[in-house]
Amino acid sequence: MLLNLGGGSNPSSTSCLLKKKLRFIAFAFAVTTCLTFILWPRSEVVETVQQDLTFNITVSSDVMCDGLDFGLLHRLEVNKLASFTQREIIAVQSDSGSQSAKIQRLDIPLLNANSKASNWTQPQERCFNSVPVVVQVPVAPKRADASHIDFGVATTMSRLNESLDAFSHWAGYTNTRIFALVEPGEGKTEVQAKAEELGISLYMTISGEEYNHRYFSLVSHLADNARETTRWSCIIDDDTFFPSMSALVDALHQYDDSKPVYLGSVSESIRQVGSFGIMAFGGAGVFLSRPLLDQLKPVHRSCQSMDITGDRKISYCIYKHTDTKLTVEHRLRQLDIGGDASGFFEAAREPPLSVHHWKSWFDVDMTKLSAVSEICGDSCILSKWYFSDKWILTNGFSIIHYSTDVDLEDNTMEHTWGGNYETFLHELGPLRSKDKKKFSYQLQDAIVEAGRVRQWYIHRDSYKGDRVIELVWRRG
């Protein structure tokens, strides 16, 4: 037996050890490569630089704007900004602005004139486009005289106070009157003062009745307070909104108010119609002509005792004691649609006379939506313009780019909300499927300033950053 007394390495063991080291190095390299691939930033991630520590807002390095208003971005709840574009729109009143086309075509791009229509995600060259957009709008009518219409609402003091800003759009300085049956609560003096400041003729009566009794009591309350000029009485919810009093007055002129008329609209959901019947749904507005109101006054107590509620009781009372039937005005909208209502507002249809559920079933701030009317009148609310880069502006609501080309003569409505397609065909058809790849900016805010209105449309993206378009409207 030979002994290795010199302490030298065994050749075979040295070779084995070397192989182990090489395998370890190869494994470590593989792990490092995988981790690098996983953790390495992707090309679509927006590179951001910290711009303002006060509001903790990060801004993409692609945004080349001088003097960004970080206070504004904070108010708009923008924490990460991917792009900001400002554009001026000049509204020129003209008879040609009332042409019949539901979408007006403009031979000018909305966003970057130097970019292709599909490149809205590319770095922007500048934030302010110095070329104004000129649009034709109808000549705005004089403020409507609605002294022949009275409105009634059953609500609480706090909800009435919250509703006054919206009410002021259609009821302010129009000579109409709003009669409110309000449950006991504090703040009556403050609410009355706010209404007067907004030009609303508000008459409040404190009532301890249960809500459904109080709601039906509006029928007799409106009859008791009718004046010589009253031709229509309308029962509404506190979230009923009329985009244009002028349009409403014109629509009512089409009906003979010298006869008993029960005017309103059924629900857009056939399930709601199946549950509650053929009646005027209250959120859209229940219009009663003066002769019909006079017929209901003597039977009010009998009808009040019926074991049914709300606007159903009004319809039962009318059907039981008169021969008047519902006249449907399809532009009055209950809007029993939940979730994404963009398809309704973006459709190339005639604008609605009333809108309901905008603070509950879906989220559309009708007060901010209608602010632009201060520049271009009620008729340009929800007006639609198709730009040469295929962006579509629905005024006061959205700026969108469909994933496929659109036919400007197509009046189908995109089914964006929940529920089965067939459920809504009777009122909203024809419908088409939702465009899941549609790129949308939604109105976030709007303010009225001296001689102009500023709107902010935002595409939200918590990962890449929000994209903001500011439209500044002024008269031509």
Side-chain angles (χ1 to χ4, degrees):
M1 178 182 293
L2 297 176
L3 298 178
N4 186 358
L5 299 178
S9 299
N10 188 318
S12 61
S13 64
T14 301
S15 175
C16 182
L17 181 60
L18 180 60
K19 290 179 180 179
K20 289 182 179 180
K21 287 183 178 180
L22 290 175
R23 284 198 296 268
F24 177 79
I25 292 172
F27 175 77
F29 177 80
V31 170
T32 302
T33 301
C34 290
L35 288 175
T36 300
F37 176 81
I38 294 172
L39 298 178
W40 192 265
R42 298 293 190 268
S43 58
E44 70 268 22
V45 177
V46 175
E47 181 183 355
T48 56
V49 292
Q50 188 71 32
Q51 291 287 326
D52 186 273
L53 296 176
T54 303
F55 297 111
N56 193 26
I57 297 174
T58 57
V59 179
S60 166
S61 58
D62 295 330
V63 179
M64 302 176 185
C65 300
D66 294 329
L68 273 176
D69 187 342
F70 288 96
L72 168 66
L73 295 177
H74 178 71
R75 181 165 61 81
L76 296 175
E77 299 180 351
V78 174
N79 298 317
K80 184 188 297 184
L81 182 67
S83 72
F84 189 97
T85 302
Q86 186 187 69
R87 199 76 193 266
E88 182 181 45
I89 299 185
I90 302 174
V92 178
Q93 294 188 356
S94 164
D95 291 336
S96 63
S98 58
Q99 51 191 298
S100 59
K102 298 298 188 298
I103 302 180
Q104 304 299 317
R105 188 186 296 271
L106 296 175
D107 189 23
I108 186 174
L110 175 63
L111 297 184
N112 192 343
N114 298 319
S115 66
K116 296 181 179 180
S118 60
N119 288 342
W120 61 77
T121 58
Q122 297 302 310
Q124 59 188 128
E125 295 180 3
R126 54 186 177 180
C127 295
F128 176 71
N129 190 324
S130 60
V131 179
V133 177
V134 179
V135 298
Q136 301 288 326
V137 298
V139 176
K142 295 180 180 179
R143 187 176 294 274
D145 180 7
S147 57
H148 59 301
I149 311 173
D150 290 334
F151 294 88
V153 60
T155 185
T156 66
M157 196 67 69
S158 61
R159 286 180 65 92
L160 180 59
N161 183 58
E162 293 171 357
S163 300
L164 288 181
D165 286 332
F167 284 0
S168 69
H169 171 75
W170 52 269
Y173 303 102
T174 61
N175 300 319
T176 190
R177 299 182 298 172
I178 298 178
F179 292 91
L181 294 182
V182 187
E183 68 180 40
E186 298 180 354
K188 182 178 180 180
T189 301
E190 291 79 6
V191 171
Q192 189 67 57
K194 181 179 179 180
E196 292 176 0
E197 183 180 350
L198 294 172
I200 301 173
S201 297
L202 176 66
Y203 300 84
M204 286 183 286
T205 300
I206 304 300
S207 171
E209 287 185 298
E210 181 268 336
Y211 173 76
N212 283 300
H213 273 69
R214 186 157 30 101
Y215 182 89
F216 186 74
S217 291
L218 286 169
V219 175
S220 61
H221 191 66
L222 288 168
D224 291 339
N225 288 279
R227 53 189 174 184
E228 186 177 352
T229 58
T230 301
R231 305 308 306 157
W232 293 96
S233 293
C234 177
I235 297 173
I236 61 174
D237 289 350
D238 54 25
D239 61 344
T240 301
F241 185 90
F242 298 97
S244 172
M245 179 60 86
S246 296
L248 179 62
V249 169
D250 290 344
L252 291 177
H253 280 326
Q254 301 174 22
Y255 302 96
D256 187 356
D257 59 41
S258 67
K259 299 177 181 179
V261 180
Y262 172 39
L263 183 69
S265 184
V266 299
S267 171
E268 294 78 11
S269 169
I270 198 67
R271 293 179 179 177
Q272 293 289 92
V273 176
S275 297
F276 299 105
I278 303 299
M279 67 176 193
F281 279 66
V286 180
F287 288 85
L288 311 173
S289 67
R290 179 69 173 271
L292 180 59
L293 194 68
D294 291 340
Q295 288 180 352
L296 296 180
K297 187 175 180 180
V299 298
H300 177 267
R301 181 170 296 182
S302 172
C303 291
Q304 183 69 281
S305 65
M306 292 191 296
D307 189 23
I308 47 180
T309 60
D311 28 27
R312 291 184 70 196
K313 185 179 289 189
I314 296 176
S315 67
Y316 272 54
C317 189
I318 293 172
Y319 296 154
K320 183 177 181 179
H321 294 284
T322 79
D323 60 2
T324 302
K325 306 305 178 185
L326 175 65
T327 299
V328 177
E329 170 52 74
H330 295 281
R331 290 175 293 168
L332 297 171
R333 288 301 187 186
Q334 171 74 6
L335 285 188
D336 286 337
I337 59 179
D340 179 5
S342 63
F344 173 81
F345 289 96
E346 293 167 354
R349 305 274 182 92
E350 192 172 5
L353 290 176
S354 64
V355 172
H356 182 229
H357 283 150
W358 53 281
K359 295 189 290 185
S360 52
W361 288 40
F362 54 90
D363 183 18
V364 175
D365 193 324
M366 295 303 298
T367 306
K368 294 177 181 178
L369 183 150
S370 61
V372 73
S373 64
E374 292 292 326
I375 294 297
C376 55
D378 290 343
S379 60
C380 82
I381 297 173
L382 296 178
S383 289
K384 296 166 179 63
W385 288 278
Y386 181 84
F387 291 82
S388 62
D389 53 2
K390 300 183 180 182
W391 288 96
I392 300 175
L393 166 64
T394 298
N395 197 9
F397 183 78
S398 68
I399 299 171
I400 62 173
H401 195 293
Y402 288 112
S403 63
T404 58
D405 289 340
V406 297
D407 179 359
L408 299 189
E409 301 301 321
D410 182 9
N411 73 334
T412 58
M413 181 179 293
E414 186 185 2
H415 181 201
T416 57
W417 58 91
N420 293 332
Y421 174 90
E422 296 82 2
T423 302
F424 305 97
L425 280 175
H426 71 289
E427 272 296 317
L428 298 179
L431 299 172
R432 67 177 187 272
S433 299
K434 182 176 181 178
D435 184 348
K436 296 181 180 180
K437 296 182 179 180
K438 178 177 67 176
F439 199 93
S440 302
Y441 292 79
Q442 297 291 320
L443 183 78
Q444 177 71 25
D445 199 4
I447 61 172
V448 179
E449 297 180 338
R452 66 178 187 171
V453 170
R454 299 170 67 190
Q455 299 171 325
W456 291 275
Y457 298 84
I458 301 180
H459 174 79
R460 299 289 187 184
D461 190 327
S462 59
Y463 180 61
K464 296 181 180 179
D466 297 339
R467 311 182 76 86
V468 181
I469 298 176
E470 177 182 357
L471 298 184
V472 182
W473 287 79
R474 66 177 179 86
R475 295 185 184 91

